Amino acid sequence: MRILITNDDGVYSPGIAALAQVACRFGEVRIVAPDVEMSSAGQSITASRPLNYKRTLLPGLAGGVEAYRVNGTPSDCVMLGTTLWEQVQLVLSGINIGSNIGNAIWHSGTLAGAKQAALLGLRGIALSTPATEEAQPDFEMLKPWVGSVLELLLDSTDPCLINVNFPAQPPRGTRWTRQSVRHYDGRVVPGKDPMGRTHYWFTVVPVEATEEGSDRWAVEQGYVSMTPLRLDITDHTELARLRKHEAWKQLRFA
Ligand code: MN
């Protein structure tokens, strides 16, 4: 099996090297990742300038693993990687330095790498772990757990798009979870530059209450959270309700 690996932290992140080391057990691995950090780039693609790639040597990787850096986004990397390397079956994205839970799924470039695979009809798995200024991820500790989770997920052919979040500590086990959407943690904070001009930083605020069964809850409880996702964001309940009232909710022009 050919496995393409990308991320949004950039090709030199220790998280992508750790993921590639584990993934080698499951197939032929190639890394195609952004040349600089692209966190929060979401699903964007680069359409206003050309893309290129360069071969890169990454420390700690077996000689068989080729790595390339791309001047683009995670989605660009998946498109370029699957175009230039045929018969890719699986795309892994991560391991992100920082959780991707709840509403972060909308902004995450890590998730975008996996979703771009799903858009192409391939399997996509995004992997993330918490990080703070004081506590950076321990990838050596995580590696055996990443291996076990990939074994579990690759054992069947579906589901084909999964968001995996590891806790900071050795996990207690795995939990299938849903995306928590009750709180939005994004916030814009104003500040001043050295010239006294106002500027703004986008940041996140802590979420207080956690819904049981959600991705955030599982990670807080020390479990590996595994959320199956889909590309169809249609509200099917609302669609069914609206269609019932077709007579007055739709316009007729002819
Ligand atoms: Mn990131």
Side-chain angles (χ1 to χ4, degrees):
M1 175 170 59
R2 285 189 160 179
I3 305 170
L4 183 73
I5 301 189
T6 194
N7 74 352
D8 76 354
D9 290 337
V11 73
Y12 302 110
S13 166
I16 202 168
L19 181 53
Q21 286 158 1
V22 176
C24 283
R25 269 173 46 198
F26 301 91
E28 204 186 335
V29 169
R30 187 171 288 191
I31 292 176
V32 180
D35 55 358
V36 294
E37 184 174 351
M38 281 284 161
S39 291
S40 301
Q43 204 71 43
S44 65
I45 50 168
T46 302
S48 55
R49 60 169 175 81
L51 291 169
N52 59 53
Y53 66 89
K54 292 194 177 81
R55 179 98 187 253
T56 299
L57 285 173
L58 295 183
L61 279 184
V65 178
E66 293 179 15
Y68 297 88
R69 61 184 196 271
V70 175
N71 59 341
T73 65
S75 295
D76 291 333
C77 292
V78 172
M79 293 308 289
L80 208 56
T82 53
T83 301
L84 297 175
W85 198 36
E86 287 167 5
Q87 291 161 356
V88 170
Q89 283 175 277
L90 169 68
V91 174
L92 301 176
S93 186
I95 304 167
N96 190 60
I97 300 178
S99 300
N100 278 306
I101 48 188
N103 287 300
I105 290 179
W106 291 99
H107 307 301
S108 168
T110 307
L111 254 298
K115 285 190 291 184
Q116 195 67 34
L119 285 170
L120 295 170
L122 308 172
R123 293 192 81 183
I125 302 173
L127 306 101
S128 309
T129 191
T132 58
E133 286 293 319
E134 303 79 45
Q136 288 295 300
D138 181 351
F139 289 115
E140 282 309 310
M141 175 278 284
L142 274 180
K143 267 159 52 176
W145 305 100
V146 173
S148 305
V149 167
L150 286 180
E151 230 165 74
L152 173 82
L153 295 179
L154 300 179
D155 191 41
S156 77
T157 48
D158 42 51
C160 71
L161 179 59
I162 305 277
N163 182 29
V164 180
N165 279 273
F166 293 89
Q169 313 304 331
R172 297 162 64 187
T174 59
R175 284 286 181 272
W176 289 106
T177 59
R178 68 177 191 282
Q179 179 191 8
S180 91
V181 287
R182 205 201 291 164
H183 306 274
Y184 183 61
D185 60 356
R187 199 180 142 212
V188 173
V189 179
K192 294 272 185 215
D193 76 6
M195 266 71 76
R197 298 171 296 199
T198 305
H199 60 195
Y200 299 91
W201 278 96
F202 213 111
T203 186
V204 292
V205 289
V207 170
E208 279 145 30
T210 306
E211 309 135 88
E212 192 171 336
S214 70
D215 47 10
R216 196 181 302 280
W217 171 85
V219 172
E220 276 179 14
Q221 298 292 312
Y223 292 103
V224 180
S225 162
M226 305 185 299
T227 311
L229 301 176
R230 63 178 177 191
L231 297 177
D232 179 5
I233 57 168
T234 309
D235 184 337
H236 287 280
T237 312
E238 190 65 7
L239 178 62
R241 193 185 69 79
L242 290 166
R243 279 183 173 161
K244 256 195 201 164
H245 304 290
E246 219 158 345
W248 60 275
K249 280 283 186 186
Q250 286 194 152
L251 303 176
R252 279 178 206 282
F253 294 118

